[in-house]
Amino acid sequence: MEKLLRRKVDSYLMAWKKNPDRKPLIIKGARQVGKTHSIQWFASQNYRSVISINFVEQFKYKQIFDEGFEVDTILRNISFLNPEFQFIPGETLIFFDELQACPNCATSLKFFKLDGRFDVICSGSLMGINYREIESNSVGYKEDYEMHSMDFEEFLWARGYGDEFVEELYRHMLEVKPLGKIQADVLFELFRDYATLGGMPEVVNTYVRNKNFSGTLALQKQLLKDYEDDITKYAQGLDKAKVKAVYNHIPVFLAKENKRFQITKIARNARNRDYVGCVEWLADAGVINVCYCLNQPELPLKGNYDPKLYKIYFKDTGLLIASLDEEAQEDLRANRNLGTYKGALYENIVGDMLVKQGYRLYYYASDKPALEMDFFIRDASSLIPVEVKSNDNATASLNNLLKDDKYPDVKYGIKLGYKNIGFNGKFYTFPYFLTFLLKRFVAEV
């Protein structure tokens, strides 16, 4: 089997295998982020025998749990359906793919862990998984890993840049040492390509193979259609037309000055109570990132936000761009003009880069006093405002947060833009493309 792209889950899987007390693993994520390929590659390199079962393509295997969850009974039932499978204790991986099509499988994980003879990995699309139901099964006997589309570091790997290159970038951040002109110019160009493509592995692989954007838009549009089809298939208990309407109106919200979700932008006389659960379902499905408005710019973050005030971003900025009209796409691909759309593309991609580091998204907006901040992150003891600039305008809100004694949790800030690395005593300036290193930076600075 050919390894297409290096992914961060590769090292996670190797560490999992080295753990002598490893539990069955569930790798979840949005559709087509590369879960199945990564697991199959790992399995082919590390096990003498791989038992691969896809509950969507091979639905007959759903019945293997009908007689209970004793491991020997499950193995016997699998062998009845395929006598060529070999179960070698200590050298076999059982890979259950498309877990969402067979929730009973999750119950079996406890018994596989207690048995201990075979490694088990499950994979499933978040859009299809009723994860609250699955989570109640095998509690304490499984491990979870959420996989995203490719982040910018993985994109750099795909373009041939290695770990040493990334470490050099990080050293520049820690030492507050500006990048050289050639290095900065090349990285901005790579970042614009990444923003236009997004991180879906098939899209990135097509771009790397062809050395241009040929064929990538068609793949992105098909992904958008696949997501819509999945909404129709999996949005149980909700009005599927309303879920689709929210999903299809994300570009409309982001085109507005405040970019906030407003139900009236979806349909005339639309009411919030008619759309209860739609946004939450899309977030649980791994399709969108939700950014909540803080009540006050202070710690803690959890519990200090208004659940009724939020912005919605696409998980993958490439899919946001693919959802725009053809003229906007042509402008973006031909001219790399990401500054259109009231800065929403920059906010979307920075938000996605933060989520891929494990952050939840928060912003702040206030009229009295006039104060607005795109994102907040934190270190062990302080709240860090993050301003995303699509132009070179003044940073009034950032300066006000830092000079006002009213916000004691804010010790310093971060400004992202078409800038080099710098520090003015109050906030750090970083180019957009270094966002993927922020969590590491704020932990060490």
Side-chain angles (χ1 to χ4, degrees):
M1 161 178 204
E2 181 189 0
K3 179 72 167 127
L4 297 179
L5 297 162
R6 179 186 171 194
R7 302 298 305 276
K8 290 185 174 177
V9 73
D10 300 341
S11 55
Y12 179 89
L13 287 167
M14 288 305 300
W16 172 80
K17 189 176 189 312
K18 288 175 183 174
N19 180 1
D21 192 35
R22 59 188 170 277
K23 300 174 182 178
L25 176 63
I26 297 178
I27 294 185
K28 53 185 179 169
R31 73 143 59 226
Q32 296 191 33
V33 296
K35 302 182 296 295
T36 298
H37 180 81
S38 295
I39 295 165
Q40 287 176 338
W41 167 257
F42 162 75
S44 70
Q45 301 300 301
N46 292 281
Y47 293 88
R48 276 180 62 195
S49 179
V50 179
I51 313 300
S52 187
I53 293 171
N54 184 307
F55 290 118
V56 169
E57 294 176 4
Q58 303 162 297
F59 53 85
K60 64 184 179 182
Y61 282 95
K62 292 182 188 180
Q63 59 189 310
I64 63 177
F65 308 106
D66 287 354
E67 297 173 60
F69 298 101
E70 186 182 18
V71 170
D72 284 331
T73 303
I74 295 168
L75 301 187
R76 187 185 70 237
N77 288 337
I78 293 173
S79 296
F80 285 152
L81 294 170
N82 188 340
E84 294 182 6
F85 280 146
Q86 286 186 294
F87 295 93
I88 309 167
E91 299 184 67
T92 298
L93 176 72
I94 302 173
F95 174 30
F96 293 121
D97 202 2
E98 303 290 3
L99 174 66
Q100 74 277 2
C102 186
N104 264 345
C105 179
T107 305
S108 74
L109 301 184
K110 173 181 178 179
F111 300 91
F112 276 107
K113 168 59 181 166
L114 293 172
D115 181 271
R117 287 176 291 166
F118 308 100
D119 288 351
V120 179
I121 297 180
C122 302
S123 172
S125 164
L126 281 171
M127 196 172 273
I129 289 180
N130 182 347
Y131 204 71
R132 289 180 182 85
E133 176 189 334
I134 285 174
E135 200 154 46
S136 66
N137 300 329
S138 298
V139 172
Y141 295 95
K142 62 178 176 58
E143 187 174 328
D144 298 291
Y145 180 91
E146 184 170 353
M147 192 169 171
H148 301 278
S149 64
M150 297 171 70
D151 68 11
F152 187 58
E153 184 172 10
E154 291 171 313
F155 181 79
L156 289 174
W157 295 342
R159 286 299 310 270
Y161 297 92
D163 295 335
E164 234 176 80
F165 181 78
V166 173
E167 288 306 307
E168 185 185 347
L169 294 179
Y170 185 60
R171 281 196 299 274
H172 274 268
M173 292 177 76
L174 277 183
E175 296 168 12
V176 197
K177 178 182 173 185
L179 297 167
K181 184 178 186 310
I182 292 177
Q183 197 174 21
D185 288 348
V186 167
L187 281 160
F188 273 123
E189 188 69 16
L190 287 165
F191 175 77
R192 283 189 285 267
D193 283 358
Y194 174 67
T196 306
L197 291 160
M200 290 300 191
E202 189 180 5
V203 175
V204 173
N205 196 51
T206 300
Y207 155 84
V208 171
R209 189 176 62 245
N210 295 339
K211 298 183 172 59
N212 57 45
F213 291 112
S214 174
T216 58
L217 180 57
L219 289 172
Q220 290 169 320
K221 284 188 172 295
Q222 184 59 48
L223 278 166
L224 287 169
K225 184 179 182 303
D226 289 344
Y227 279 157
E228 282 203 36
D229 291 345
D230 278 352
I231 290 170
T232 302
K233 187 189 298 184
Y234 292 120
Q236 305 298 331
L238 292 170
D239 185 325
K240 295 170 184 180
K242 288 187 169 66
V243 178
K244 274 190 184 180
V246 172
Y247 177 63
N248 290 327
H249 278 78
I250 296 172
V252 177
F253 306 138
L254 294 179
K256 303 302 175 187
E257 197 65 46
N258 66 11
K259 302 179 183 62
R260 190 158 50 82
F261 173 84
Q262 292 171 285
I263 204 73
T264 53
K265 302 299 180 190
I266 295 178
R268 185 177 294 177
N269 300 321
R271 297 169 298 183
N272 277 305
R273 67 172 177 267
D274 296 330
Y275 288 80
V276 168
C278 294
V279 172
E280 290 83 354
W281 188 88
L282 288 167
D284 288 345
V287 177
I288 62 171
N289 289 323
V290 182
C291 183
Y292 289 100
C293 185
L294 291 176
N295 294 319
Q296 291 294 330
E298 62 187 25
L299 295 173
L301 291 170
K302 284 186 180 179
N304 176 32
Y305 65 88
D306 188 335
K308 295 177 183 175
L309 294 178
Y310 51 85
K311 302 176 186 180
I312 299 176
Y313 299 108
F314 270 88
K315 272 273 188 188
D316 189 90
T317 305
L319 297 186
L320 167 59
I321 288 175
S323 72
L324 305 180
D325 58 71
E326 289 184 11
E327 291 77 15
Q329 290 165 13
E330 189 176 331
D331 185 20
L332 285 157
R333 281 172 168 74
N335 305 315
R336 308 289 201 280
N337 184 14
L338 299 176
T340 58
Y341 227 62
K342 294 185 167 59
L345 299 178
Y346 290 111
E347 281 188 37
N348 198 105
I349 196 165
V350 167
D352 183 45
M353 292 169 93
L354 293 175
V355 166
K356 284 171 177 170
Q357 294 169 77
Y359 286 114
R360 295 183 66 178
L361 300 183
Y362 302 96
Y363 75 102
Y364 184 70
S366 168
D367 293 330
K368 296 179 181 178
L371 201 59
E372 189 170 345
M373 187 51 52
D374 300 307
F375 298 107
F376 286 88
I377 58 176
R378 62 166 301 172
D379 59 20
S381 60
S382 60
L383 184 66
I384 305 159
V386 178
E387 187 165 43
V388 182
K389 301 298 288 187
S390 59
N391 50 45
D392 202 22
N393 291 348
T395 54
S397 288
L398 188 54
N399 283 322
N400 288 336
L401 278 169
L402 290 163
K403 75 179 182 184
D404 201 325
D405 292 341
K406 201 162 75 173
Y407 311 111
D409 290 334
V410 180
K411 310 290 195 311
Y412 68 95
I414 292 171
K415 177 181 175 181
L416 302 170
Y418 278 111
K419 295 283 191 179
N420 213 319
I421 296 170
F423 182 61
N424 64 2
K426 295 186 295 183
F427 59 82
Y428 292 92
T429 303
F430 293 123
Y432 303 108
F433 54 76
L434 291 180
T435 303
F436 78 97
L437 290 167
L438 283 186
K439 189 162 193 174
R440 189 176 165 191
F441 174 80
V442 301
E444 197 169 339
V445 71

